[in-house]
Amino acid sequence: MISDQQIIDATRQWLNTFIIALNICPFARREQQRDSIRYRVARAEGTETTLETLIEECRFLDEHPETETTLLILPNGFADFDDYLDMLDIAERLLQAQHYEGTYQIASFHPAYCFEMASELEQDDPANYTNRSPYPMLHIIRESSIDRAVRSYPDPENIPARNIQLTRELGLQKLQALLAACYPE
């Protein structure tokens, strides 16, 4: 069985060699350098327990302003992308119900991520790799941090289009190799 530390190490490698190195998220480098990213492995296989952990992480962030964001890594129970999306939908509604809307938002990552607009034939579109990660993950982000980062970044609305162009230029084989290199041996 892979340890929590191995899962965290794989996630850190993905963050460093893909997200930061390719500038997929231009705001990640700062937080990685500040060591303000929390990595939490949640081994629960069910939606209910995962959602409880999500709210625990929101409370943790409430109590620890020096921690900018949490990567809630879900190595068990959500390998199927549709199951993950069902849980994500409930998670977003839970944030509203717990009065966290406007305080935190969730960015979603999954090894089989496929944008909603992509058809079955486009499942291997390299653009999907902007949200592919070694493990299913919920990225809990402070809304105030997003607002601050976007205000200080030139042309933030162009980030998705730039990432789509970049991933398509890199090509499917290169992206698959980058992601595969993150998994523990």
Side-chain angles (χ1 to χ4, degrees), residues 18-93:
F18 184 73
I19 300 297
I20 292 173
L22 298 179
N23 205 30
I24 298 295
C25 174
F27 316 116
R29 181 181 309 276
R30 176 180 184 264
E31 301 316 321
Q32 184 258 5
Q33 290 173 340
R34 290 179 58 226
D35 197 26
S36 64
I37 301 170
R38 178 173 160 92
Y39 298 86
R40 169 93 186 260
V41 176
R43 292 216 178 244
E45 295 188 19
T47 298
E48 185 175 330
T49 308
T50 299
L51 296 175
E52 289 171 4
T53 306
L54 170 66
I55 296 304
E56 286 174 14
E57 283 306 306
C58 290
R59 290 182 184 134
F60 178 91
L61 291 170
D62 287 345
E63 295 168 7
H64 297 89
E66 71 281 3
T67 303
E68 191 62 39
T69 189
T70 295
L71 294 175
L72 182 57
I73 309 161
L74 311 168
N76 304 43
F78 298 101
D80 181 83
F81 186 55
D82 288 331
D83 291 344
Y84 171 82
L85 288 177
D86 291 343
M87 180 274 300
L88 176 63
D89 181 56
I90 297 168
E92 289 174 340
R93 287 186 276 140

Side-chain angles (χ1 to χ4, degrees), residues 118-147:
S119 71
E120 289 293 323
L121 298 175
E122 297 169 327
Q123 194 161 21
D124 282 335
D125 185 326
N128 291 315
Y129 277 78
T130 63
N131 287 64
R132 289 196 180 172
S133 58
Y135 301 97
M137 190 180 323
L138 299 175
H139 180 192
I140 308 165
I141 311 168
R142 295 178 189 275
E143 291 264 352
S144 60
S145 299
I146 293 171
D147 293 342

